[in-house]
Amino acid sequence: MFFAVLILAALKADAQVEYPFRNPKLSDEVRIADLLKRLTLQEKVDLMGGNAKVPRLHLALSDEAEGLHGLALGGPGGWGPRGRPPLPTTTFPQEKGLGATWDPALMKKIGALEGEEARYYYQNPAFDFGGIVVRAPNVDLSRDPRWGRTEESMGEDPYLVGTMTVAFIQGLQGPDSKHWQAASLMKHFLANENEDGRSYTSSNFDDRLFREYYSVPFRMGFEQGGSRAVMAAYN
């Protein structure tokens, strides 16, 4: 997974702007470079995990939350806080059903609500759970109906999936490009449509399939939607 999007995800409310990486007037590149040079090797290793903290810099990073068709903070999947009942969130149809709506405006509203719930639970001290890096949307293309996770894909057409992906990301992250409501982590990059032996088999395809098919919705999500994170495929 690509965690660069987590670098400035959440800061302690009482922290003062004492380092350049805290200054929102500077560019992302300058702030990230400043932060990286201040971290020890062990701190950099620690930041590869979820919900990491660097107390000496008053830095707390967001964990991730599952959000395929609604924020998952409980239930039989084990996504909830241990020893506590599931946190209520809004559930939507599986992505196959969302793709069948052909309605980007509706998808943007769904993303916005999911982002609001992610921010609420993560930032509210009464809950302090989940994360504002949301594992959604699933940008995989479902070419083969025999694939066991076909219901997690919005369809087989790259333009449709890309258009719906852009709408969801824009809703989830919000209209402010500097202060996101939440962050979209697209998945699974790339050509992820094999469940049997998914952790060791190879997805082979030619350059044209890469450029005109598999990469299209991801490219749209990055360039038009504004996502800066992606989950690697199991292949």
Side-chain angles (χ1 to χ4, degrees):
M1 302 175 191
F2 180 45
F3 282 97
V5 70
L6 304 182
I7 294 293
L8 298 174
L11 298 173
K12 293 292 187 181
D14 60 348
Q16 298 179 353
V17 180
E18 52 193 6
Y19 301 115
F21 75 80
R22 296 194 185 282
N23 187 351
K25 296 180 180 180
L26 299 177
S27 69
D28 293 343
E29 289 75 15
V30 170
R31 297 174 72 186
I32 291 173
D34 177 73
L35 174 60
L36 289 177
K37 75 179 183 181
R38 299 180 189 279
L39 296 172
T40 67
L41 178 59
Q42 185 58 53
E43 288 169 343
K44 291 176 181 179
V45 172
D46 293 341
L47 293 183
M48 296 301 292
N51 204 26
K53 295 177 174 61
V54 184
R56 68 181 184 86
L57 297 178
H58 305 287
L59 184 66
L61 274 69
S62 168
D63 205 347
E64 299 175 22
E66 188 62 54
L68 188 60
H69 56 104
L71 201 63
L73 297 180
W79 297 111
R82 293 183 179 180
R84 300 194 307 190
L87 300 177
T89 59
T90 306
T91 299
F92 303 98
Q94 278 278 24
E95 286 208 351
K96 186 65 70 181
L98 296 177
T101 67
W102 293 69
D103 191 340
L106 176 62
M107 197 68 170
K108 188 173 183 178
K109 291 181 180 179
I110 290 172
L113 180 56
E114 191 167 325
E116 182 178 355
E117 292 179 349
R119 171 69 67 171
Y120 172 76
Y121 281 119
Y122 176 73
Q123 197 162 314
N124 190 324
F127 301 101
D128 188 27
F129 185 77
I132 51 175
V133 178
V134 181
R135 298 174 190 160
N138 189 328
V139 193
D140 296 329
L141 297 167
S142 51
R143 294 183 71 186
D144 191 337
R146 296 172 298 176
W147 178 33
R149 298 175 71 176
T150 302
E151 82 284 350
E152 293 188 15
S153 166
M154 287 183 281
E156 62 180 341
D157 183 82
Y159 181 74
L160 168 65
V161 174
T163 300
M164 300 294 274
T165 292
V166 169
F168 180 88
I169 293 172
Q170 290 177 343
L172 182 81
Q173 298 188 168
D176 190 335
S177 61
K178 293 292 290 185
H179 304 90
W180 292 356
Q181 175 175 246
S184 169
L185 188 149
M186 299 184 293
K187 59 182 186 179
H188 308 84
F189 190 86
L190 184 74
N192 183 71
E193 56 181 20
N194 177 34
E195 191 67 12
D196 185 19
R198 61 177 175 164
S199 62
Y200 57 84
T201 55
S202 176
S203 297
N204 300 320
F205 48 90
D206 59 23
D207 189 64
R208 182 175 181 180
L209 270 177
F210 169 73
R211 297 186 182 279
E212 298 183 9
Y213 194 71
Y214 287 118
S215 70
V216 171
F218 286 98
R219 187 167 64 246
M220 293 174 67
F222 282 126
E223 296 178 355
Q224 300 176 33
S227 170
R228 295 186 184 180
V230 67
M231 179 190 295
Y234 297 97
N235 53 17

